[in-house]
Amino acid sequence: KKFVTRDIISSASGSDLWRACIGVRVDGVGIHGILKGGAAHADMDLEDEVQQQQQCSCKGVRTCFICEQQHGARRAPIAQPPRQRLFMCTACSATTTSPLPPAHLCGQPCHFAAEPAPDGLPPPPLRGVTVVADFVSPEEELLLVEAMDREPWRISQSGRRKQDFGPKVNFKKMKIRSDGFSGLPSYARNLVDRIAALPQGRDFHPVELCNLDYLPERGSAIDPHRDDSWLWGERLITVNLCSDTYLCFAPASSDTSTTPPFEIAVGMPRRSLVIVQGESRHAWDHSIRREDITHRRVAMTFRELSGEFLPGGSSEDVGKSLLETASSFTGTVCN
């Protein structure tokens, strides 16, 4: 078996060597993609990691580069209907057809605020999305990613890898199992405290953290969807690490009132915090496009409980138990 040491990771020549040999890239958080733990581990077994990169967990219509290459046309991605793409300034909410970088800074007002809408049809406003730039520092980002990479990643659908800290849920049958849930991880405590200090994060008490790892080599993406609202509450809060990307919103699938169809791309700068609530949470589908993943991206998404599981709700006892477990911050991955 082959091993890589901290010295190889930290040397430019070593980085080039490993890039050439096994196709990984090196960025600000260490070797990205295939190696587990970056520079946090002195020695790492590469063979297991390379084998995992060749695995696929796609089901149904979902695909990634792995299954598309292995099975050809039988696993070709489902063609999505063409949509007019608009870009939204997260500071002033103006939209434009001109591509905006994810880290766009508003010019107060944006020079495109008066730009005519495509085909003369103004899109409905996208309400309820908040982006907080530089929520974590570069040093915090490094420590967070290293902490995650010390835990096992599980292959997920559409080219993603994931780590779950939360109850096991069957949303169709509306059943919850919490026997394997030991709490949110210790590295999340400071983030949760700082989120709760934000005006939009008041009384935010998450009971789930889902870490998702996106890699361009795998064709990672997430299809348009709306998160469950039986168990999960009003706010979905994500910390975006390792690279810039876009979170795309489209009117809910059942809404046929918009012609022509469009989507609104909201920039998520590296190390930013993104809060989705209100109309954007319930009336719009959200997704991450494959072509918007150009480097490794790690997303930490926190979810709170719905009113049914809070004091006064029909399942408040279940909610109380989940909140007590989550707030211990002693959890390990539930994969």
Side-chain angles (χ1 to χ4, degrees):
K1 291 188 174 182
K2 298 182 177 69
F3 294 86
V4 60
T5 67
R6 184 191 303 268
D7 291 335
I8 293 178
I9 291 175
S10 61
S11 70
S13 58
S15 299
D16 293 339
L17 172 63
W18 285 107
R19 255 203 309 267
C21 291
I22 56 175
V24 297
R25 291 191 304 277
V26 177
D27 61 16
V29 293
I31 286 189
H32 138 146
I34 291 181
L35 299 185
K36 180 169 63 178
H41 297 283
D43 295 303
M44 289 170 283
D45 186 348
L46 283 178
E47 289 186 4
D48 291 342
E49 290 297 319
V50 172
Q51 182 179 9
Q52 189 185 67
Q53 289 300 315
Q54 297 170 344
Q55 295 174 350
C56 166
S57 187
C58 296
K59 300 176 183 178
V61 299
R62 294 178 177 87
T63 67
C64 67
F65 281 158
I66 307 299
C67 59
E68 290 167 19
Q69 292 169 359
Q70 290 176 347
H71 304 290
R74 288 182 296 158
R75 294 291 295 170
I78 301 298
Q80 298 294 325
R83 292 183 181 272
Q84 170 72 56
R85 195 175 213 200
L86 305 175
F87 296 83
M88 188 181 89
C89 172
T90 54
C92 70
S93 299
T95 57
T96 178
T97 55
S98 302
L100 286 180
H104 164 76
L105 297 177
C106 182
Q108 300 298 336
C110 283
H111 66 278
F112 54 82
E115 181 180 292
D119 297 332
L121 296 174
L126 177 62
R127 300 186 180 96
V129 181
T130 302
V131 178
V132 181
D134 299 316
F135 185 74
V136 300
S137 68
E139 293 76 19
E140 288 176 297
E141 177 187 49
L142 175 61
L143 293 174
L144 286 168
V145 175
E146 286 184 342
M148 285 182 266
D149 281 341
R150 283 193 289 268
E151 299 281 350
W153 289 96
R154 179 167 64 87
I155 297 296
S156 185
Q157 300 198 72
S158 300
R160 304 184 303 274
R161 299 192 302 171
K162 69 185 299 186
Q163 294 174 340
D164 282 318
F165 297 86
K168 298 291 185 183
V169 185
N170 186 320
F171 292 106
K172 290 184 178 180
K173 296 182 179 180
M174 301 178 75
K175 293 184 180 296
I176 301 171
R177 284 183 50 197
S178 59
D179 50 308
F181 179 36
S182 55
L184 299 184
S186 58
Y187 59 77
R189 183 192 293 270
N190 180 261
L191 293 176
V192 171
D193 289 344
R194 284 157 53 194
I195 290 170
L198 297 172
Q200 303 91 337
R202 186 175 304 165
D203 296 324
F204 184 73
H205 303 290
V207 296
E208 190 205 48
L209 168 61
C210 180
N211 297 329
L212 291 178
D213 186 36
Y214 293 75
L215 290 171
E217 294 89 348
R218 295 183 61 89
S220 301
I222 193 163
D223 291 338
H225 69 285
R226 275 168 289 162
D227 284 44
D228 165 80
S229 56
W230 160 65
L231 176 61
W232 306 136
E234 176 63 20
R235 292 164 291 189
L236 309 173
I237 299 185
T238 298
V239 179
N240 184 62
L241 303 175
C242 297
S243 65
D244 300 338
T245 192
Y246 295 99
L247 182 60
C248 292
F249 290 85
S253 302
S254 57
D255 183 0
T256 59
S257 62
T258 58
T259 305
F262 68 91
E263 67 178 13
I264 296 178
V266 176
M268 291 193 295
R270 182 176 181 174
R271 296 186 292 274
S272 66
L273 178 85
V274 180
I275 303 173
V276 177
Q277 60 185 332
E279 289 184 17
S280 63
R281 160 86 163 93
H282 301 289
W284 296 70
D285 292 337
H286 61 271
S287 62
I288 301 288
R289 279 193 179 191
R290 176 185 288 182
E291 56 265 35
D292 291 331
I293 299 298
T294 57
H295 298 84
R296 185 189 188 189
R297 176 200 180 226
V298 175
M300 304 174 65
T301 297
F302 296 91
R303 295 179 174 90
E304 63 184 343
L305 290 171
S306 69
E308 180 176 332
F309 296 87
L310 297 177
S314 59
S315 301
E316 64 174 306
D317 290 341
V318 176
K320 181 181 179 182
S321 176
L322 291 175
L323 284 166
E324 289 176 351
T325 301
S327 61
S328 71
F329 291 99
T330 58
T332 55
V333 175
C334 302
N335 290 353

